[in-house]
Amino acid sequence: MSEAAVGSHKGKKGGPTAMERIAAFIVDKRKAFFVLFMVMAVYAVFSINKVQVNNDLTDYLEEDSETRQGLTIMNDEFVTFGSGKILVANITYQRALELAEQLEEIRGISSVSFYDPDDSTYEDDRLENYYQDASALYTLSFEEEESTELSQKAIAQVREVLADYDSFVYTTVDKDDAADLQEDMKVILVIAVVIIVLVLLFTSQTYAEIPVLLLTFGMAALLNMGTNYWFREVSFITNAVGPVLQLALAIDYAIILSHRFMEEREHLPTREALIQALSKAIPEISSSSLTTVSGMVALMCMHFGIGPDLGRILTKAIIFSLLTVFLFMPALIFMFSKAMEKTVHKSFVPNITGWGKAVVKTRFILPPIFAFILVFAVYFSNHCPYIYDVESAKAEKMNEYMGSKTRISETFDVPNTLAVVLPKGDYQAEAKVIEMLRSFDQVDSVLGLAGVEVGDNNEYTLVDSLKPREFSEVADVDIDLVKALYRVYAIDQEQYGSLLSNVEDYEIPLISMVDFIYDQKENKGLRLDDDLSEQIDLIYNTLLDARKQLEGGSHSRIVFTFTGEGEGEETFQFIDTVRTLAQTFYEEEVFVVGNPTSAYDLSKSFVADNGLISVLTVLFVGIILLITFQSASIPFMLCLTIEGSIWINFSIPYLTQSPMFFLSYLVVSSIQMGATIDYAIVITSRYMELRKTTPTKKQAIIDSLNQAFPTIVTSGTIMCAAGFVIGKISSNAVISSLGTTLGIGTLTSIILVMTVLPQILLLGDKLIDKTAFEVSTPQLSTGKSIVTSLPTRVDGRVRGTFTGFIDADVTGLLSGDMNLQLQSRGKDPAEEPPQLLLEAPRAEDGEDAESEMSGEAGESEEAKESEEVETK
């Protein structure tokens, strides 16, 4: 019979359902959809380069956080020259001193700090701070900002000079996180594809479905990456892990449709089989995606901006995955249908009936153990040690930047840098803040405009008020000329009282006097002799460099370094102390900015986001499960299992005393809950169906595990492997931490879903019934079609699918996944006398059903289970 004839024959029987009509439209227009997706793919390819990747986590802090406000001011008002530290190992001191001079001669390098006994600058310093254990430590300062061409050429020359040395360069001047991540992700994606192919070879029904699945996912990933620019920019975390997470989260959708098609193709031609498969897969896949999306929605509620960034990109990824499976994949299936038929092979997925029996036998053992572990897991996970500074996070494979920092810190102390941002103008208050900072034992160095020293013996600072004679000594200028300049300054500033008094007692801030003389010389034609003009230019240029870094339009800043940890309670208390003391000198707000304060703000944001994400994720998933299973106890059982796996996952850092980057918890907990809850849903759905038709509940559990195993092993292995590959290969510590944590969490979820969850369902079977409820029961009327999973009252002849296929006269309530049409009315059920409903007896309270029917009690548990399986 031809495909057209089959369609015509079906129409005479009762006509297609609404979902079948949608599926038929998609299948019949498959060529148009194929062309449309090809056009979209071209658009995505040319749009990928439009995506701006943000490598700075601090940009995702809340707008009113101290770090964000301080950084905004510094970026707008100040210039930060490039800097770096270099360690050269296996070098003599004399050769190290010569190397310092060689580095300082490079154009673009303003200074190289290294101990020189002949330089008075280091007379209060110690050699051990620069040279020990045959290793030399240099601190480089660049003439310009790190992004300028001059700085880039300078660091390139530095690397050339160091090419023959055992050196470690720790600088952000030529650091390119995005490029490093791209290289890592290329390797990760290749390995991920290899893993996927191997898993699909093992779990697939036909070899030809593998290219269909890969092409489907490739299209979905391409469309998602090509449209990321719609959000203007994405974080480096989202840009790196988005494609891999999309693969792990959405591969199930394509597998479901492919398997549905192979089932339908056994008794229908290609077109009809594809229509039936698609009409059944659309509602199934859509409902399955809801729990995953709920986890992403929870991420979007985070205060820390990485959550919304990752949440919306992954939500978009899931939407594109759904559209690609529904609209693009049917065309691929049609194209590969003959090859799929020819390459059908036996399933390599083993039968796990033995595993199911073991789970049933240990149902009174494992749940109590799980409950015992859970008590400690809750405590341990709540005391998990977290780190918030990106540079404190460690990856198994370190990039050059982190490798150099680690190597330097093994020999020398690497101080932390902070900046105090102050209202501009009050130099005296600024000098007091500098004095206050220098009073702390842990502070190594302080640099502020009010602290820049001048004079032969550094007896003055730029903001000191000097008399004419003092200015004459500092600038090495004739005293009479200076007095004349002081009088001109007094007239310009309309301070005529100073002219009437003794000018020798007139005090002017050094910085103001230098500005005035330089301005007069440049703009008003003040004539100075060559020596004086050169001296003023030298002082002014020194002042100009200092101002670029330390004084802005409305703020000034003080930069200081301190020894100690980059984060932690002690460091956070120190930051609070500095802020509080500095604030006493100003009425307007002051800010303390740097990596330690960024970590401080992130820790405070984490406290708020931690509880929010946990509650919202469980709430969203719980509501979906409640609607799906219509029993109040089932959401509790499923969420407890997956939440338990999350608690166990985050107990590991506590037990191993390995601090975890805070973002790993926020992101992984929501993804783990949203994605791996699907595994629990697969088993629970199977059990809820089989418990109605299987002689015993224990056999229903065994069959449920056996039937759900191929789906779980496919999806779970891919997600688990993807996480571990990211953790092992990525040199970015944040990405590596996310990957490893996700891999461990997924593995934990799979183990609990395949062991503890079936036992909880078995033991709580009565509770499931007692907490069950019915939503409004629709009535199926003649000539109407319905596609639903809600309980539906039926009276008449019904034809369609009902967890299988049905064509019969039915009077009563149907409950399950159905796609039905009422072809003729029957009698009113209310007029019919009560009839005895015969059911396959089910075991209650864990006892064997056959034993209840026969009254025989005395058989061993093993004999009963054997008889059940044989009867089945």
Side-chain angles (χ1 to χ4, degrees):
M1 184 182 292
S2 69
E3 292 182 10
V6 171
S8 174
H9 177 71
K10 182 178 179 182
K12 291 177 181 179
K13 284 280 187 180
T17 64
M19 191 58 66
E20 287 172 339
R21 286 195 295 269
I22 294 173
F25 175 80
I26 294 172
V27 172
D28 292 339
K29 302 296 182 183
R30 60 187 180 276
K31 293 182 180 178
F33 282 117
F34 184 85
V35 172
L36 174 63
F37 272 82
M38 289 295 104
V39 173
M40 292 168 62
V42 173
Y43 165 80
V45 167
F46 286 100
S47 299
I48 286 179
N49 292 330
K50 296 180 182 179
V51 180
Q52 298 180 26
V53 180
N54 190 331
N55 295 309
D56 191 355
L57 279 179
T58 57
D59 285 349
Y60 295 93
L61 287 167
E62 292 183 272
E63 293 288 342
D64 59 352
S65 66
E66 179 178 16
T67 301
R68 186 71 182 274
Q69 293 181 74
L71 283 174
T72 299
I73 293 172
M74 290 204 303
N75 291 335
D76 292 343
E77 298 190 23
F78 301 102
V79 172
T80 301
F81 293 153
S83 63
K85 289 185 179 296
I86 297 173
L87 182 140
V88 178
N90 305 313
I91 189 172
T92 64
Y93 172 72
Q94 190 58 41
R95 184 70 193 96
L97 195 60
E98 294 171 2
L99 180 59
E101 296 172 356
Q102 187 178 356
L103 292 173
E104 199 162 16
E105 291 176 358
I106 295 175
R107 184 172 178 270
I109 303 294
S110 60
S111 66
V112 177
S113 176
F114 184 73
Y115 187 82
D116 184 351
D118 298 330
D119 190 338
S120 60
T121 306
Y122 302 97
E123 60 184 5
D124 296 326
D125 218 330
R126 295 186 304 168
L127 174 64
E128 291 77 12
N129 294 333
Y130 301 87
Y131 183 85
Q132 59 176 307
D133 298 336
S135 298
L137 179 64
Y138 306 94
T139 301
L140 273 61
S141 297
F142 289 75
E143 294 179 2
E144 296 181 359
E145 294 177 87
E146 58 185 33
S147 59
T148 65
E149 183 180 356
L150 178 62
S151 296
Q152 294 301 312
K153 288 182 177 179
I155 191 63
Q157 285 186 266
V158 167
R159 291 187 181 277
E160 288 180 12
V161 171
L162 298 172
D164 297 330
Y165 293 90
D166 185 9
S167 60
F168 301 86
V169 181
Y170 175 54
T171 180
T172 57
V173 173
D174 59 350
K175 180 171 176 273
D176 191 345
D177 286 329
D180 292 342
L181 262 180
Q182 284 182 351
E183 291 302 314
D184 288 346
M185 294 314 297
K186 287 177 183 177
V187 178
I188 289 171
L189 282 174
V190 170
I191 295 177
V193 170
V194 172
I195 291 172
I196 291 168
V197 172
L198 293 176
V199 171
L200 293 178
L201 282 172
F202 179 73
T203 61
S204 65
Q205 298 179 5
T206 168
Y207 293 124
E209 77 175 341
I210 296 176
V212 172
L213 297 176
L214 293 178
L215 288 171
T216 300
F217 168 73
M219 177 61 73
L222 178 61
L223 295 180
N224 191 50
M225 290 188 293
T227 54
N228 283 343
Y229 83 95
W230 290 353
F231 300 110
R232 194 173 64 83
E233 69 175 19
V234 298
S235 69
F236 70 97
I237 294 175
T238 302
N239 190 61
V241 304
V244 179
L245 287 181
Q246 181 183 5
L247 167 68
L249 293 172
I251 193 70
D252 281 353
Y253 309 153
I255 293 174
I256 289 172
L257 179 56
S258 178
H259 288 185
R260 282 285 191 184
F261 170 74
M262 294 304 295
E263 291 172 7
E264 298 293 338
R265 188 65 185 88
E266 292 179 4
H267 54 83
L268 288 174
T270 302
R271 175 180 174 275
E272 274 62 32
L274 191 51
I275 291 173
Q276 287 300 314
L278 191 58
S279 66
K280 295 173 184 178
I282 288 176
E284 181 180 352
I285 294 171
S286 300
S287 61
S288 173
S289 67
L290 286 178
T291 54
T292 308
V293 171
S294 66
M296 303 306 104
V297 172
L299 276 178
M300 287 189 275
C301 295
M302 282 174 56
H303 297 89
F304 185 45
I306 287 292
D309 180 75
L310 186 60
R312 62 175 175 251
I313 295 297
L314 287 181
T315 299
K316 180 165 64 69
I318 293 170
I319 293 172
F320 272 120
S321 296
L322 291 174
L323 292 175
T324 305
V325 169
F326 296 158
L327 304 178
F328 178 68
M329 189 174 173
L332 294 178
I333 291 177
F334 218 95
M335 293 167 57
F336 284 84
S337 59
K338 292 183 179 180
M340 292 172 72
E341 292 174 19
K342 292 178 180 179
T343 57
V344 172
H345 60 81
K346 69 175 184 178
S347 175
F348 299 117
V349 180
N351 185 297
I352 59 167
T353 300
W355 175 267
K357 289 182 178 180
V359 168
V360 170
K361 287 180 180 179
T362 57
R363 65 188 181 280
F364 297 113
I365 301 174
L366 291 183
I369 295 175
F370 173 66
F372 178 78
I373 293 174
L374 217 55
V375 173
F376 289 94
V378 172
Y379 175 82
F380 294 155
S381 62
N382 285 331
H383 291 79
C384 175
Y386 294 103
I387 52 177
Y388 305 92
D389 183 4
V390 175
E391 295 192 6
S392 298
K394 297 291 189 296
E396 292 194 30
K397 172 190 171 185
M398 285 194 291
N399 55 26
E400 184 200 25
Y401 180 79
M402 289 305 299
S404 297
K405 180 186 178 182
T406 302
R407 176 61 183 86
I408 292 172
S409 63
E410 290 173 355
T411 308
F412 299 94
D413 290 331
V414 180
N416 301 287
T417 303
L418 283 173
V420 184
V421 180
L422 309 163
K424 177 185 174 182
D426 192 342
Y427 293 125
Q428 300 305 316
E430 186 176 332
K432 291 177 181 177
V433 173
I434 291 175
E435 184 180 356
M436 177 267 292
L437 290 171
R438 286 174 175 165
S439 68
F440 289 106
D441 292 336
Q442 61 265 52
V443 172
D444 288 334
S445 64
V446 183
L447 179 61
L449 205 57
V452 176
E453 297 175 339
V454 293
D456 293 337
N457 298 314
N458 294 331
E459 65 269 34
Y460 302 115
T461 67
L462 281 175
V463 299
D464 285 341
S465 295
L466 305 184
K467 296 176 181 180
R469 185 167 299 280
E470 293 168 333
F471 184 86
S472 172
E473 293 172 355
V474 170
D476 193 20
V477 180
D478 180 72
I479 182 64
D480 293 329
L481 178 58
V482 171
K483 289 179 180 179
L485 291 172
Y486 266 55
R487 292 189 182 95
V488 175
Y489 180 89
I491 294 172
D492 183 76
Q493 299 295 314
E494 299 181 354
Q495 297 176 356
Y496 302 112
S498 301
L499 296 175
L500 301 177
S501 61
N502 189 352
V503 73
E504 291 185 355
D505 296 328
Y506 184 26
E507 293 184 344
I508 302 174
L510 174 60
I511 187 172
S512 301
M513 194 62 196
V514 172
D515 283 341
F516 173 74
I517 296 175
Y518 185 83
D519 182 64
Q520 293 290 321
K521 180 173 76 74
E522 293 295 314
N523 300 320
K524 298 187 179 180
L526 177 64
R527 299 180 62 83
L528 302 174
D529 61 58
D530 292 341
D531 290 340
L532 176 57
S533 179
E534 183 177 346
Q535 188 69 13
I536 292 297
D537 286 345
L538 180 63
I539 296 176
Y540 182 80
N541 288 332
T542 301
L543 173 61
L544 187 63
D545 284 343
R547 268 189 166 148
K548 287 179 181 179
Q549 300 180 76
L550 303 173
E551 190 174 58
S554 57
H555 292 82
S556 60
R557 70 173 172 178
I558 301 170
V559 180
F560 67 98
T561 61
F562 72 95
T563 55
E565 298 296 329
E567 59 180 297
E569 193 62 34
E570 186 177 336
T571 299
F572 296 158
Q573 288 179 359
F574 172 67
I575 292 171
D576 281 335
T577 301
V578 170
R579 184 193 305 104
T580 301
L581 292 177
Q583 190 66 67
T584 60
F585 302 108
Y586 293 89
E587 293 182 0
E588 299 177 50
E589 188 174 6
V590 302
F591 305 94
V592 182
V593 186
N595 280 349
T597 56
S598 173
Y600 191 15
D601 284 339
L602 288 172
S603 70
K604 291 186 287 187
S605 174
F606 173 71
V607 172
D609 285 335
N610 187 6
L612 180 68
I613 293 300
S614 299
V615 171
L616 288 180
T617 305
V618 173
L619 181 63
F620 292 155
V621 171
I623 291 173
I624 294 170
L625 295 177
L626 188 65
I627 295 172
T628 302
F629 292 105
Q630 298 175 31
S631 175
S633 59
I634 290 182
F636 173 77
M637 295 176 183
L638 270 60
C639 287
L640 179 65
T641 305
I642 301 301
E643 192 66 35
S645 71
I646 294 173
W647 289 328
I648 292 172
N649 187 15
F650 293 104
S651 296
I652 296 174
Y654 174 84
L655 296 173
T656 59
Q657 287 302 300
S658 305
M660 172 181 290
F661 191 64
F662 79 104
L663 201 57
S664 297
Y665 179 87
L666 294 175
V667 174
V668 172
S669 60
S670 59
I671 291 179
Q672 186 178 344
M673 172 61 82
T676 61
I677 195 72
D678 280 349
Y679 309 153
I681 292 174
V682 170
I683 290 179
T684 306
S685 299
R686 299 277 183 176
Y687 175 68
M688 294 300 289
E689 293 173 6
L690 292 172
R691 70 198 283 264
K692 300 173 185 176
T693 57
T694 307
T696 65
K697 292 179 294 183
K698 289 180 283 187
Q699 187 60 46
I701 284 293
I702 294 171
D703 291 345
S704 298
L705 287 171
N706 212 25
Q707 294 176 21
F709 181 64
T711 301
I712 295 174
V713 74
T714 302
S715 176
T717 302
I718 290 173
M719 178 174 280
C720 196
F724 284 125
V725 167
I726 291 174
K728 288 287 185 183
I729 294 180
S730 178
S731 59
N732 185 288
V734 177
I735 305 298
S736 176
S737 176
L738 281 172
T740 301
T741 308
L742 182 62
I744 296 173
T746 304
L747 182 60
T748 308
S749 295
I750 293 172
I751 293 172
L752 291 183
V753 163
M754 293 295 294
T755 54
V756 177
L757 177 62
Q759 296 172 334
I760 293 176
L761 292 173
L762 188 58
L763 296 175
D765 187 79
K766 279 188 176 181
L767 184 61
I768 293 174
D769 287 335
K770 289 180 179 180
T771 57
F773 61 90
E774 291 184 6
V775 204
S776 59
T777 302
Q779 176 76 38
L780 186 59
S781 56
T782 307
K784 299 294 184 180
S785 298
I786 186 168
V787 179
T788 182
S789 59
L790 299 176
T792 304
R793 188 161 298 283
V794 177
D795 176 27
R797 183 167 186 79
V798 177
R799 187 177 191 277
T801 58
F802 174 72
T803 317
F805 185 81
I806 186 171
D807 187 357
D809 290 322
V810 177
T811 300
L813 189 67
L814 296 181
S815 178
D817 294 327
M818 60 192 80
N819 182 348
L820 305 174
Q821 184 179 57
L822 186 63
Q823 296 183 318
S824 63
R825 294 290 297 174
K827 296 180 180 180
D828 186 350
E831 298 176 0
E832 289 291 312
Q835 300 215 6
L836 179 64
L837 175 63
L838 297 179
E839 291 183 332
R842 295 192 296 112
E844 300 294 342
D845 301 325
E847 294 181 4
D848 188 279
E850 293 178 354
S851 177
E852 292 179 25
M853 294 172 61
S854 63
E856 296 175 2
E859 295 179 35
S860 67
E861 187 71 13
E862 291 79 3
K864 294 176 186 177
E865 291 170 350
S866 175
E867 183 177 349
E868 291 167 13
V869 175
E870 291 173 5
T871 304
K872 171 94 177 136

